[in-house]
Amino acid sequence: MNVLDQKRTPLYDCIVKHAAGAPVSFHVPGHKYGEIIPDRAQKYFRELLKMDATELTGLDDLHSPEGPILEAQGLLKRLYGTEQSYFLVNGSTAGNLAMILATVKENDIVLVQRNSHKSIMNGIRMAKAHPVFLSPETQHGGTVAGGVALQTVEAALEKYPEAKAIILTYPNYYGMVNDLGAIVTTAHARKIPVLVDEAHGVHFTLGQPFPASAVSLGADCIVQSAHKTLPAMTMGAYLHITSKRISITAVESWLQTLQSSSPSYPIMASLDLARSYLGTYTQRDLEELIQRISKFRMEAADVKGLEVLPLDGGDPLKLTIKPNGGQSGYELQARLEEEGIYGELADPYHVLLVLPLLKKENRWRFAEAIEKIRAAATKLNPASKVQQLQPFQQKPFISMAIPYQEMEEMEKTAVALEEAEGEVCAEMVIPYPPGIPLLMPGIRIGREELAQLRLLLDNGAKIQGGSLLGKGLLTIFK
Ligand SMILES: Cc1ncc(COP(=O)(O)O)c(C=O)c1O
Protein backbone atom coordinates (compact mmCIF):
# COMPACT_ATOMS: atom_id res chain seq x y z
CA MET A 1 0.00 0.00 0.00
CA ASN A 2 1.41 3.37 -1.08
CA VAL A 3 0.66 6.19 1.38
CA LEU A 4 1.13 8.85 -1.30
CA ASP A 5 -1.50 7.09 -3.33
CA GLN A 6 -3.81 7.01 -0.32
CA LYS A 7 -3.61 10.80 0.00
CA ARG A 8 -5.54 11.02 -3.25
CA THR A 9 -9.30 11.55 -3.22
CA PRO A 10 -10.28 11.37 -6.91
CA LEU A 11 -14.05 11.33 -6.45
CA TYR A 12 -14.14 14.08 -3.84
CA ASP A 13 -11.83 16.25 -6.01
CA CYS A 14 -13.95 15.70 -9.06
CA ILE A 15 -17.15 16.75 -7.30
CA VAL A 16 -15.51 19.82 -5.76
CA LYS A 17 -14.22 20.83 -9.18
CA HIS A 18 -17.68 20.42 -10.65
CA ALA A 19 -19.25 22.52 -7.86
CA ALA A 20 -16.57 25.22 -8.21
CA GLY A 21 -17.58 25.70 -11.84
CA ALA A 22 -20.97 27.08 -10.63
CA PRO A 23 -22.94 24.76 -12.92
CA VAL A 24 -26.46 25.77 -13.99
CA SER A 25 -28.66 22.81 -13.20
CA PHE A 26 -31.45 21.71 -15.49
CA HIS A 27 -31.29 18.23 -14.00
CA VAL A 28 -32.32 16.42 -10.83
CA PRO A 29 -32.14 16.84 -7.82
CA GLY A 30 -34.72 19.58 -7.50
CA HIS A 31 -32.85 21.66 -4.92
CA LYS A 32 -30.55 22.74 -7.80
CA TYR A 33 -27.27 22.56 -5.88
CA GLY A 34 -28.97 24.10 -2.83
CA GLU A 35 -30.22 27.23 -4.60
CA ILE A 36 -33.87 26.34 -3.91
CA ILE A 37 -34.14 25.54 -0.24
CA PRO A 38 -36.05 27.26 2.57
CA ASP A 39 -34.16 30.12 4.22
CA ARG A 40 -34.03 28.37 7.57
CA ALA A 41 -32.18 25.42 5.98
CA GLN A 42 -29.52 27.59 4.34
CA LYS A 43 -27.06 27.54 7.20
CA TYR A 44 -26.62 23.78 7.34
CA PHE A 45 -27.64 22.60 3.88
CA ARG A 46 -26.45 25.21 1.39
CA GLU A 47 -22.77 24.25 1.16
CA LEU A 48 -23.38 20.50 1.33
CA LEU A 49 -25.98 20.54 -1.43
CA LYS A 50 -23.47 22.09 -3.83
CA MET A 51 -21.96 18.60 -3.87
CA ASP A 52 -25.26 16.80 -4.30
CA ALA A 53 -24.91 16.18 -8.03
CA THR A 54 -26.01 13.26 -10.17
CA GLU A 55 -24.50 11.05 -12.93
CA LEU A 56 -23.36 13.95 -15.14
CA THR A 57 -20.61 13.86 -17.74
CA GLY A 58 -17.31 13.33 -15.91
CA LEU A 59 -18.92 12.43 -12.57
CA ASP A 60 -19.13 8.71 -13.33
CA ASP A 61 -21.80 6.18 -12.32
CA LEU A 62 -21.61 3.94 -9.25
CA HIS A 63 -23.44 1.16 -11.10
CA SER A 64 -21.06 1.16 -14.06
CA PRO A 65 -17.93 3.00 -12.91
CA GLU A 66 -15.21 3.93 -15.37
CA GLY A 67 -13.92 7.29 -14.10
CA PRO A 68 -13.34 8.81 -10.64
CA ILE A 69 -15.59 6.27 -8.87
CA LEU A 70 -13.63 3.39 -10.40
CA GLU A 71 -10.40 5.11 -9.33
CA ALA A 72 -11.69 5.74 -5.80
CA GLN A 73 -12.83 2.13 -5.42
CA GLY A 74 -9.42 1.04 -6.76
CA LEU A 75 -7.71 2.95 -3.94
CA LEU A 76 -10.03 1.22 -1.45
CA LYS A 77 -9.12 -2.14 -2.95
CA ARG A 78 -5.40 -1.35 -2.66
CA LEU A 79 -5.75 -0.22 0.96
CA TYR A 80 -7.37 -3.50 2.01
CA GLY A 81 -5.55 -5.74 -0.50
CA THR A 82 -8.73 -7.36 -1.86
CA GLU A 83 -9.84 -8.85 -5.18
CA GLN A 84 -12.59 -6.25 -5.46
CA SER A 85 -13.97 -3.50 -3.22
CA TYR A 86 -17.08 -1.38 -3.54
CA PHE A 87 -18.62 1.80 -2.18
CA LEU A 88 -22.10 1.28 -0.73
CA VAL A 89 -24.59 4.11 -0.33
CA ASN A 90 -27.33 2.12 1.42
CA GLY A 91 -25.29 1.10 4.45
CA SER A 92 -23.98 -2.30 5.46
CA THR A 93 -27.61 -3.32 5.19
CA ALA A 94 -27.41 -3.35 1.37
CA GLY A 95 -23.97 -5.02 1.52
CA ASN A 96 -25.15 -7.81 3.80
CA LEU A 97 -28.18 -8.46 1.62
CA ALA A 98 -26.06 -8.50 -1.55
CA MET A 99 -23.33 -10.79 -0.17
CA ILE A 100 -25.90 -13.31 1.02
CA LEU A 101 -28.11 -13.23 -2.08
CA ALA A 102 -25.03 -13.60 -4.29
CA THR A 103 -23.80 -16.67 -2.38
CA VAL A 104 -26.84 -18.53 -1.10
CA LYS A 105 -29.65 -20.10 -3.14
CA GLU A 106 -33.15 -21.28 -2.25
CA ASN A 107 -33.12 -24.33 0.08
CA ASP A 108 -29.37 -24.02 0.80
CA ILE A 109 -28.39 -24.62 4.39
CA VAL A 110 -26.41 -21.73 5.89
CA LEU A 111 -24.77 -21.52 9.28
CA VAL A 112 -25.41 -18.11 10.76
CA GLN A 113 -24.52 -16.47 14.04
CA ARG A 114 -27.70 -16.15 16.14
CA ASN A 115 -26.90 -12.61 17.27
CA SER A 116 -26.65 -11.21 13.75
CA HIS A 117 -28.06 -7.89 12.59
CA LYS A 118 -31.53 -7.95 11.06
CA SER A 119 -30.07 -7.30 7.59
CA ILE A 120 -28.35 -10.71 7.75
CA MET A 121 -31.58 -12.41 8.81
CA ASN A 122 -33.50 -10.57 6.09
CA GLY A 123 -30.94 -11.62 3.47
CA ILE A 124 -31.38 -15.28 4.39
CA ARG A 125 -35.15 -14.91 4.31
CA MET A 126 -35.02 -13.23 0.89
CA ALA A 127 -32.81 -16.06 -0.40
CA LYS A 128 -35.32 -18.59 1.06
CA ALA A 129 -32.41 -20.53 2.49
CA HIS A 130 -32.50 -22.73 5.61
CA PRO A 131 -30.59 -21.05 8.43
CA VAL A 132 -29.00 -22.98 11.26
CA PHE A 133 -28.44 -20.45 14.04
CA LEU A 134 -25.13 -20.74 15.90
CA SER A 135 -25.32 -19.58 19.50
CA PRO A 136 -22.70 -17.04 20.53
CA GLU A 137 -20.50 -17.36 23.57
CA THR A 138 -21.67 -15.03 26.28
CA GLN A 139 -19.29 -12.75 28.11
CA HIS A 140 -19.27 -10.57 31.21
CA GLY A 141 -21.31 -12.92 33.36
CA GLY A 142 -23.67 -13.79 30.53
CA THR A 143 -24.76 -10.20 29.97
CA VAL A 144 -23.23 -9.71 26.51
CA ALA A 145 -23.50 -12.04 23.49
CA GLY A 146 -20.10 -12.29 21.78
CA GLY A 147 -18.83 -14.35 18.82
CA VAL A 148 -19.36 -18.00 17.97
CA ALA A 149 -16.85 -20.56 19.32
CA LEU A 150 -14.84 -22.69 16.88
CA GLN A 151 -16.26 -25.84 18.54
CA THR A 152 -19.81 -24.66 17.79
CA VAL A 153 -18.94 -24.20 14.12
CA GLU A 154 -17.19 -27.60 14.00
CA ALA A 155 -20.17 -29.35 15.60
CA ALA A 156 -22.59 -27.64 13.22
CA LEU A 157 -20.44 -28.62 10.22
CA GLU A 158 -20.42 -32.25 11.38
CA LYS A 159 -24.22 -32.20 11.47
CA TYR A 160 -24.68 -30.06 8.32
CA PRO A 161 -21.71 -30.86 6.05
CA GLU A 162 -23.77 -29.67 3.06
CA ALA A 163 -23.85 -26.07 4.44
CA LYS A 164 -23.21 -23.57 1.64
CA ALA A 165 -21.91 -20.65 3.70
CA ILE A 166 -21.01 -19.51 7.21
CA ILE A 167 -22.21 -16.02 8.08
CA LEU A 168 -20.62 -14.35 11.08
CA THR A 169 -20.47 -10.97 12.76
CA TYR A 170 -17.02 -9.74 13.77
CA PRO A 171 -16.61 -7.81 16.01
CA ASN A 172 -19.88 -7.60 17.93
CA TYR A 173 -21.41 -4.19 18.66
CA TYR A 174 -19.25 -3.86 21.78
CA GLY A 175 -16.03 -4.45 19.80
CA MET A 176 -15.50 -7.98 21.14
CA VAL A 177 -13.77 -10.47 18.87
CA ASN A 178 -13.44 -14.22 18.65
CA ASP A 179 -11.09 -16.60 16.82
CA LEU A 180 -12.39 -15.82 13.35
CA GLY A 181 -9.13 -16.97 11.72
CA ALA A 182 -9.56 -20.53 13.04
CA ILE A 183 -13.18 -20.64 11.86
CA VAL A 184 -12.14 -19.46 8.39
CA THR A 185 -9.46 -22.19 8.20
CA THR A 186 -12.01 -24.84 9.21
CA ALA A 187 -14.57 -23.60 6.71
CA HIS A 188 -12.08 -23.35 3.86
CA ALA A 189 -10.88 -26.91 4.52
CA ARG A 190 -14.45 -27.87 3.52
CA LYS A 191 -14.53 -25.33 0.68
CA ILE A 192 -17.24 -23.31 2.43
CA PRO A 193 -17.08 -19.51 2.10
CA VAL A 194 -17.17 -17.31 5.18
CA LEU A 195 -19.20 -14.11 4.92
CA VAL A 196 -18.48 -11.54 7.58
CA ASP A 197 -20.53 -8.60 8.74
CA GLU A 198 -17.67 -6.39 9.95
CA ALA A 199 -19.93 -3.35 10.25
CA HIS A 200 -18.08 -2.23 13.38
CA GLY A 201 -14.53 -3.09 12.32
CA VAL A 202 -13.74 -0.97 9.27
CA HIS A 203 -10.72 0.54 11.05
CA PHE A 204 -9.17 -2.81 12.09
CA THR A 205 -6.90 -2.62 9.08
CA LEU A 206 -4.78 -0.20 11.16
CA GLY A 207 -3.32 -3.20 13.00
CA GLN A 208 -2.48 -3.60 16.67
CA PRO A 209 -3.75 -2.74 19.21
CA PHE A 210 -6.88 -3.06 17.07
CA PRO A 211 -7.94 -6.65 16.49
CA ALA A 212 -7.02 -8.30 13.17
CA SER A 213 -9.40 -7.41 10.35
CA ALA A 214 -11.72 -10.00 8.81
CA VAL A 215 -10.01 -9.27 5.47
CA SER A 216 -6.59 -10.23 6.84
CA LEU A 217 -8.08 -13.30 8.57
CA GLY A 218 -9.13 -14.68 5.18
CA ALA A 219 -12.91 -14.18 5.18
CA ASP A 220 -14.27 -14.34 1.62
CA CYS A 221 -16.72 -11.46 1.60
CA ILE A 222 -16.72 -8.65 4.15
CA VAL A 223 -19.10 -5.76 4.70
CA GLN A 224 -18.11 -2.70 6.73
CA SER A 225 -20.09 0.35 7.82
CA ALA A 226 -17.55 3.06 7.05
CA HIS A 227 -19.92 5.51 8.72
CA LYS A 228 -19.68 3.80 12.11
CA THR A 229 -16.06 4.50 13.04
CA LEU A 230 -14.52 6.38 10.09
CA PRO A 231 -15.32 9.99 9.25
CA ALA A 232 -17.89 8.99 6.60
CA MET A 233 -21.49 10.08 6.22
CA THR A 234 -24.28 7.92 7.58
CA MET A 235 -25.18 5.14 5.10
CA GLY A 236 -21.65 5.07 3.66
CA ALA A 237 -20.23 1.53 3.72
CA TYR A 238 -17.76 -0.78 1.92
CA LEU A 239 -18.00 -4.31 0.60
CA HIS A 240 -14.88 -6.40 -0.10
CA ILE A 241 -14.42 -9.65 -1.99
CA THR A 242 -11.19 -11.50 -1.31
CA SER A 243 -11.60 -14.89 -3.00
CA LYS A 244 -12.92 -16.79 -5.97
CA ARG A 245 -15.47 -18.51 -3.72
CA ILE A 246 -17.59 -15.38 -4.17
CA SER A 247 -18.97 -14.46 -7.59
CA ILE A 248 -18.06 -10.87 -8.41
CA THR A 249 -20.73 -10.81 -11.12
CA ALA A 250 -23.44 -11.97 -8.72
CA VAL A 251 -22.44 -9.44 -6.02
CA GLU A 252 -22.41 -6.59 -8.56
CA SER A 253 -25.76 -7.62 -9.93
CA TRP A 254 -27.32 -7.66 -6.45
CA LEU A 255 -25.73 -4.33 -5.52
CA GLN A 256 -27.33 -2.82 -8.61
CA THR A 257 -30.66 -4.37 -7.68
CA LEU A 258 -30.65 -3.35 -4.05
CA GLN A 259 -29.05 0.09 -4.11
CA SER A 260 -30.59 3.32 -5.26
CA SER A 261 -30.28 4.17 -8.94
CA SER A 262 -29.51 7.72 -7.74
CA PRO A 263 -26.62 7.14 -5.32
CA SER A 264 -25.75 10.11 -3.17
CA TYR A 265 -22.61 11.96 -4.28
CA PRO A 266 -21.99 13.49 -0.83
CA ILE A 267 -22.03 9.97 0.64
CA MET A 268 -19.73 8.60 -2.05
CA ALA A 269 -17.38 11.58 -1.68
CA SER A 270 -17.30 11.02 2.08
CA LEU A 271 -16.40 7.35 1.46
CA ASP A 272 -13.49 8.50 -0.67
CA LEU A 273 -12.35 10.91 2.07
CA ALA A 274 -12.80 8.27 4.79
CA ARG A 275 -10.67 5.77 2.87
CA SER A 276 -7.97 8.41 2.48
CA TYR A 277 -8.20 9.28 6.18
CA LEU A 278 -7.60 5.63 7.04
CA GLY A 279 -4.97 5.10 4.37
CA THR A 280 -2.88 8.03 5.61
CA TYR A 281 -3.19 7.19 9.32
CA THR A 282 0.36 7.14 10.72
CA GLN A 283 2.05 5.25 13.52
CA ARG A 284 2.31 8.56 15.38
CA ASP A 285 -1.43 9.12 15.01
CA LEU A 286 -2.00 5.65 16.40
CA GLU A 287 0.34 6.10 19.37
CA GLU A 288 -1.23 9.44 20.25
CA LEU A 289 -4.75 8.03 19.91
CA ILE A 290 -4.05 5.03 22.11
CA GLN A 291 -2.51 7.24 24.78
CA ARG A 292 -5.51 9.59 24.78
CA ILE A 293 -8.20 6.93 24.78
CA SER A 294 -6.39 4.84 27.40
CA LYS A 295 -6.31 7.88 29.68
CA PHE A 296 -10.02 8.44 29.08
CA ARG A 297 -10.72 4.76 29.79
CA MET A 298 -8.80 5.00 33.09
CA GLU A 299 -10.59 8.17 34.10
CA ALA A 300 -13.96 6.57 33.32
CA ALA A 301 -13.01 3.53 35.41
CA ASP A 302 -12.26 5.88 38.32
CA VAL A 303 -15.73 7.45 38.24
CA LYS A 304 -17.53 6.53 41.46
CA GLY A 305 -20.57 4.39 40.76
CA LEU A 306 -19.37 3.12 37.38
CA GLU A 307 -17.45 0.14 36.09
CA VAL A 308 -15.67 -0.13 32.73
CA LEU A 309 -15.76 -3.50 30.98
CA PRO A 310 -12.26 -4.85 30.23
CA LEU A 311 -11.07 -4.76 26.62
CA ASP A 312 -9.86 -8.39 26.48
CA GLY A 313 -8.28 -7.91 23.05
CA GLY A 314 -11.37 -6.10 21.70
CA ASP A 315 -11.65 -2.79 19.90
CA PRO A 316 -10.13 0.09 21.93
CA LEU A 317 -12.59 2.51 20.26
CA LYS A 318 -15.42 0.91 22.22
CA LEU A 319 -15.88 1.88 25.85
CA THR A 320 -18.62 -0.02 27.66
CA ILE A 321 -19.65 1.35 31.02
CA LYS A 322 -21.96 -0.07 33.61
CA PRO A 323 -23.44 1.20 36.86
CA ASN A 324 -21.87 -0.82 39.66
CA GLY A 325 -24.83 -0.26 41.98
CA GLY A 326 -27.04 -2.66 39.97
CA GLN A 327 -28.97 0.06 38.09
CA SER A 328 -29.87 -0.58 34.45
CA GLY A 329 -27.98 0.64 31.41
CA TYR A 330 -31.13 2.54 30.41
CA GLU A 331 -31.06 4.48 33.63
CA LEU A 332 -27.41 5.37 33.11
CA GLN A 333 -28.20 6.40 29.54
CA ALA A 334 -30.97 8.73 30.77
CA ARG A 335 -28.67 10.37 33.36
CA LEU A 336 -25.90 10.77 30.75
CA GLU A 337 -28.29 12.37 28.28
CA GLU A 338 -29.40 14.85 30.95
CA GLU A 339 -25.75 15.94 31.01
CA GLY A 340 -25.55 16.15 27.19
CA ILE A 341 -23.61 12.90 26.70
CA TYR A 342 -25.13 10.72 23.97
CA GLY A 343 -23.80 7.18 23.78
CA GLU A 344 -24.25 4.67 20.97
CA LEU A 345 -26.66 2.37 22.81
CA ALA A 346 -27.91 1.17 26.14
CA ASP A 347 -28.82 -2.40 27.03
CA PRO A 348 -30.24 -3.67 30.32
CA TYR A 349 -26.79 -3.52 31.93
CA HIS A 350 -24.49 -1.22 29.96
CA VAL A 351 -24.04 1.95 27.97
CA LEU A 352 -21.74 1.73 24.97
CA LEU A 353 -19.63 4.74 23.99
CA VAL A 354 -17.94 4.82 20.58
CA LEU A 355 -14.70 6.80 20.81
CA PRO A 356 -13.39 8.90 17.91
CA LEU A 357 -10.60 7.66 15.60
CA LEU A 358 -8.62 10.85 16.11
CA LYS A 359 -5.49 11.86 14.27
CA LYS A 360 -2.76 13.67 16.13
CA GLU A 361 -4.03 17.11 15.11
CA ASN A 362 -7.70 16.50 16.10
CA ARG A 363 -8.98 17.76 19.41
CA TRP A 364 -11.71 16.08 21.42
CA ARG A 365 -13.68 17.07 24.51
CA PHE A 366 -12.49 14.20 26.71
CA ALA A 367 -12.00 16.32 29.85
CA GLU A 368 -15.48 17.84 29.58
CA ALA A 369 -16.97 14.41 28.89
CA ILE A 370 -15.44 12.89 32.02
CA GLU A 371 -16.86 15.69 34.15
CA LYS A 372 -20.30 15.08 32.69
CA ILE A 373 -20.07 11.32 33.11
CA ARG A 374 -19.08 11.88 36.74
CA ALA A 375 -22.08 14.19 37.25
CA ALA A 376 -24.41 11.61 35.65
CA ALA A 377 -23.12 8.82 37.90
CA THR A 378 -23.93 10.79 41.04
CA LYS A 379 -27.58 10.99 39.93
CA LEU A 380 -28.13 7.22 39.60
CA ASN A 381 -30.92 6.02 41.85
CA PRO A 382 -29.30 3.77 44.51
CA ALA A 383 -32.59 1.91 45.02
CA SER A 384 -33.15 0.76 41.42
CA LYS A 385 -31.92 -2.73 40.46
CA VAL A 386 -32.01 -4.56 37.14
CA GLN A 387 -32.61 -8.30 36.87
CA GLN A 388 -29.71 -10.48 35.56
CA LEU A 389 -30.54 -12.76 32.61
CA GLN A 390 -28.84 -14.88 29.94
CA PRO A 391 -29.20 -13.16 26.55
CA PHE A 392 -29.95 -16.17 24.32
CA GLN A 393 -30.93 -19.82 24.30
CA GLN A 394 -27.89 -21.82 25.21
CA LYS A 395 -28.22 -24.76 22.76
CA PRO A 396 -25.14 -24.65 20.49
CA PHE A 397 -27.27 -24.41 17.37
CA ILE A 398 -30.94 -24.33 16.44
CA SER A 399 -32.77 -24.51 13.14
CA MET A 400 -36.07 -22.97 12.11
CA ALA A 401 -39.24 -24.68 13.33
CA ILE A 402 -40.97 -23.71 10.05
CA PRO A 403 -39.08 -23.00 6.79
CA TYR A 404 -39.64 -19.67 5.03
CA GLN A 405 -41.39 -21.35 2.07
CA GLU A 406 -44.13 -22.80 4.31
CA MET A 407 -44.61 -19.67 6.42
CA GLU A 408 -46.00 -17.65 3.55
CA GLU A 409 -49.14 -19.81 3.42
CA MET A 410 -49.73 -20.09 7.17
CA GLU A 411 -52.29 -18.30 9.32
CA LYS A 412 -51.26 -16.18 12.27
CA THR A 413 -52.80 -15.35 15.60
CA ALA A 414 -51.84 -13.34 18.68
CA VAL A 415 -51.19 -14.74 22.17
CA ALA A 416 -50.29 -13.20 25.49
CA LEU A 417 -46.55 -13.12 26.19
CA GLU A 418 -47.04 -15.47 29.14
CA GLU A 419 -48.58 -18.09 26.83
CA ALA A 420 -46.09 -17.79 23.97
CA GLU A 421 -43.44 -20.25 25.20
CA GLY A 422 -43.05 -23.17 22.79
CA GLU A 423 -45.08 -21.47 20.03
CA VAL A 424 -43.55 -20.55 16.67
CA CYS A 425 -43.03 -16.83 16.31
CA ALA A 426 -44.57 -15.11 13.26
CA GLU A 427 -42.96 -11.66 13.52
CA MET A 428 -39.69 -9.88 14.10
CA VAL A 429 -39.01 -8.45 17.55
CA ILE A 430 -35.87 -6.34 17.37
CA PRO A 431 -34.43 -4.29 20.23
CA TYR A 432 -33.01 -1.21 18.47
CA PRO A 433 -30.17 -0.51 18.71
CA PRO A 434 -28.41 -2.97 18.35
CA GLY A 435 -30.86 -4.28 15.73
CA ILE A 436 -30.31 -7.95 16.57
CA PRO A 437 -33.64 -9.81 16.37
CA LEU A 438 -34.60 -11.34 19.69
CA LEU A 439 -37.45 -13.19 17.97
CA MET A 440 -37.99 -13.97 14.29
CA PRO A 441 -40.62 -15.63 12.14
CA GLY A 442 -40.14 -19.40 12.18
CA ILE A 443 -38.26 -19.57 15.50
CA ARG A 444 -39.70 -21.54 18.40
CA ILE A 445 -40.12 -19.12 21.30
CA GLY A 446 -38.04 -20.12 24.31
CA ARG A 447 -38.30 -19.17 27.96
CA GLU A 448 -35.02 -17.23 27.79
CA GLU A 449 -36.19 -15.00 24.92
CA LEU A 450 -39.47 -14.26 26.69
CA ALA A 451 -37.68 -13.35 29.91
CA GLN A 452 -35.33 -11.11 27.93
CA LEU A 453 -38.27 -9.46 26.15
CA ARG A 454 -40.06 -8.83 29.44
CA LEU A 455 -36.88 -7.26 30.85
CA LEU A 456 -36.52 -5.00 27.80
CA LEU A 457 -40.16 -3.93 27.91
CA ASP A 458 -40.06 -3.27 31.65
CA ASN A 459 -37.02 -1.06 31.14
CA GLY A 460 -38.51 0.93 28.25
CA ALA A 461 -36.14 -0.38 25.57
CA LYS A 462 -36.92 0.69 21.99
CA ILE A 463 -38.24 -2.24 20.00
CA GLN A 464 -38.88 -2.56 16.26
CA GLY A 465 -41.52 -5.05 15.09
CA GLY A 466 -43.70 -6.81 17.67
CA SER A 467 -46.73 -4.83 16.49
CA LEU A 468 -48.93 -5.92 19.42
CA LEU A 469 -46.36 -5.80 22.20
CA GLY A 470 -48.03 -2.64 23.54
CA LYS A 471 -51.01 -4.87 24.39
CA GLY A 472 -48.79 -7.61 25.83
CA LEU A 473 -49.30 -9.87 22.77
CA LEU A 474 -47.01 -11.69 20.36
CA THR A 475 -47.95 -12.85 16.86
CA ILE A 476 -47.46 -16.60 16.33
CA PHE A 477 -48.28 -19.15 13.65
CA LYS A 478 -51.50 -21.07 14.29
C1 LIG B 1 -23.57 -5.64 13.19
C2 LIG B 1 -24.31 -4.73 12.25
N1 LIG B 1 -24.42 -5.09 10.97
C3 LIG B 1 -25.06 -4.31 10.07
C4 LIG B 1 -25.61 -3.12 10.44
C5 LIG B 1 -26.31 -2.28 9.42
O1 LIG B 1 -25.47 -1.25 9.08
P1 LIG B 1 -25.96 0.05 8.31
O2 LIG B 1 -26.60 0.93 9.34
O3 LIG B 1 -24.67 0.61 7.78
O4 LIG B 1 -26.89 -0.35 7.25
C6 LIG B 1 -25.51 -2.69 11.78
C7 LIG B 1 -26.11 -1.42 12.21
O5 LIG B 1 -26.16 -1.07 13.34
C8 LIG B 1 -24.84 -3.53 12.70
O6 LIG B 1 -24.73 -3.18 13.99
Side-chain angles (χ1 to χ4, degrees):
M1 196 261 299
N2 177 343
V3 176
L4 278 181
D5 225 22
Q6 290 297 325
K7 278 196 173 156
R8 294 173 47 227
T9 49
L11 180 58
Y12 174 76
D13 296 351
C14 183
I15 298 168
V16 167
K17 192 167 161 221
H18 177 76
V24 182
S25 166
F26 284 105
H27 58 79
V28 300
H31 59 69
K32 308 289 178 194
Y33 297 112
E35 288 180 48
I36 311 177
I37 49 169
D39 279 349
R40 64 181 193 286
Q42 295 277 345
K43 183 176 162 205
Y44 289 110
F45 266 117
R46 184 71 194 258
E47 290 303 306
L48 176 68
L49 292 182
K50 286 183 183 164
M51 299 188 76
D52 193 26
T54 187
E55 289 78 12
L56 302 172
T57 309
L59 291 191
D60 213 356
D61 176 358
L62 179 66
H63 295 296
S64 180
E66 47 190 28
I69 296 180
L70 184 70
E71 223 185 312
Q73 291 190 149
L75 288 164
L76 177 67
K77 176 175 142 173
R78 288 216 277 289
L79 175 63
Y80 283 90
T82 63
E83 288 270 317
Q84 205 54 265
S85 293
Y86 303 89
F87 284 3
L88 310 177
V89 291
N90 294 62
S92 284
T93 295
N96 283 341
L97 295 175
M99 87 173 163
I100 292 170
L101 290 163
T103 317
V104 175
K105 307 274 168 303
E106 184 164 356
N107 289 323
D108 280 355
I109 291 186
V110 291
L111 307 184
V112 55
Q113 187 166 333
R114 172 64 182 86
N115 55 329
S116 296
H117 186 259
K118 61 178 181 171
S119 52
I120 295 281
M121 306 306 189
N122 287 333
I124 296 171
R125 180 172 56 85
M126 286 163 76
K128 296 194 173 154
H130 298 301
V132 174
F133 297 106
L134 309 179
S135 294
E137 298 297 290
T138 56
Q139 288 168 278
H140 304 296
T143 58
V144 182
V148 173
L150 174 63
Q151 298 87 304
T152 305
V153 176
E154 285 172 341
L157 284 172
E158 279 305 306
K159 183 151 184 216
Y160 301 99
E162 70 279 35
K164 289 289 187 304
I166 302 180
I167 309 172
L168 301 171
T169 301
Y170 170 100
N172 73 353
Y173 220 122
Y174 301 84
M176 296 164 183
V177 289
N178 57 330
D179 196 353
L180 176 64
I183 297 177
V184 170
T185 307
T186 302
H188 286 175
R190 294 177 182 249
K191 301 195 169 26
I192 299 175
V194 180
L195 316 183
V196 176
D197 175 355
E198 199 181 31
H200 297 273
V202 64
H203 54 293
F204 286 3
T205 189
L206 290 174
Q208 283 188 354
F210 293 105
S213 82
V215 174
S216 69
L217 292 172
D220 299 273
C221 193
I222 301 102
V223 172
Q224 304 168 327
S225 289
H227 68 92
K228 289 196 194 294
T229 49
L230 296 186
M233 281 176 72
T234 293
M235 292 176 85
Y238 302 135
L239 181 148
H240 306 286
I241 297 175
T242 67
S243 87
K244 301 269 180 289
R245 290 180 201 89
I246 306 293
S247 157
I248 288 183
T249 323
V251 168
E252 289 184 357
S253 162
W254 276 112
L255 285 177
Q256 287 177 27
T257 308
L258 295 163
Q259 298 208 96
S260 170
S261 60
S262 312
S264 156
Y265 274 83
I267 293 179
M268 290 190 285
S270 84
L271 285 171
D272 196 21
L273 291 169
R275 184 272 314 145
S276 176
Y277 185 88
L278 191 62
T280 55
Y281 207 86
T282 64
Q283 191 56 31
R284 285 195 66 194
D285 289 327
L286 189 57
E287 283 160 16
E288 178 87 11
L289 171 77
I290 296 304
Q291 193 200 327
R292 290 163 78 186
I293 59 182
S294 304
K295 179 165 177 276
F296 184 64
R297 184 174 292 276
M298 270 159 46
E299 287 170 352
D302 274 349
V303 172
K304 199 158 166 274
L306 294 186
E307 205 177 297
V308 168
L309 293 197
L311 267 179
D312 288 339
D315 179 3
L317 284 191
K318 298 290 173 78
L319 177 62
T320 308
I321 52 179
K322 160 179 196 214
N324 57 18
Q327 298 89 347
S328 75
Y330 304 106
E331 186 182 337
L332 176 58
Q333 179 185 43
R335 301 293 85 76
L336 286 169
E337 289 184 0
E338 281 163 15
E339 299 299 323
I341 297 280
Y342 290 84
E344 171 63 14
L345 64 76
D347 69 27
Y349 313 104
H350 314 101
V351 170
L352 171 66
L353 307 181
V354 181
L355 307 184
L357 185 69
L358 302 167
K359 286 194 175 180
K360 201 167 177 303
E361 64 272 17
N362 300 130
R363 307 185 72 77
W364 192 255
R365 294 188 284 164
F366 283 125
E368 176 188 339
I370 269 302
E371 284 316 311
K372 292 183 165 170
I373 292 171
R374 205 170 276 133
T378 61
K379 294 184 187 150
L380 288 166
N381 176 0
S384 76
K385 299 279 173 236
V386 67
Q387 196 192 345
Q388 301 285 315
L389 290 177
Q390 290 280 318
F392 288 101
Q393 285 188 357
Q394 291 308 297
K395 288 183 198 148
F397 41 91
I398 46 169
S399 47
M400 305 267 282
I402 303 173
Y404 290 120
Q405 288 83 344
E406 281 174 36
M407 268 180 230
E408 286 165 14
E409 309 297 325
M410 291 178 65
E411 281 187 57
K412 301 172 186 174
T413 184
V415 290
L417 281 185
E418 296 68 34
E419 289 158 25
E421 188 180 335
E423 301 289 350
V424 179
C425 192
E427 63 180 344
M428 284 276 197
V429 176
I430 312 173
Y432 209 95
I436 296 166
L438 179 61
L439 292 170
M440 288 176 280
I443 287 277
R444 201 168 291 288
I445 302 167
R447 191 180 316 144
E448 294 89 346
E449 284 103 347
L450 283 176
Q452 182 80 15
L453 181 55
R454 179 52 69 205
L455 179 69
L456 292 168
L457 292 171
D458 289 350
N459 282 282
K462 287 191 207 122
I463 294 192
Q464 294 180 348
S467 53
L468 299 172
L469 281 177
K471 296 180 181 158
L473 301 174
L474 261 180
T475 310
I476 58 162
F477 286 112
K478 270 191 182 171

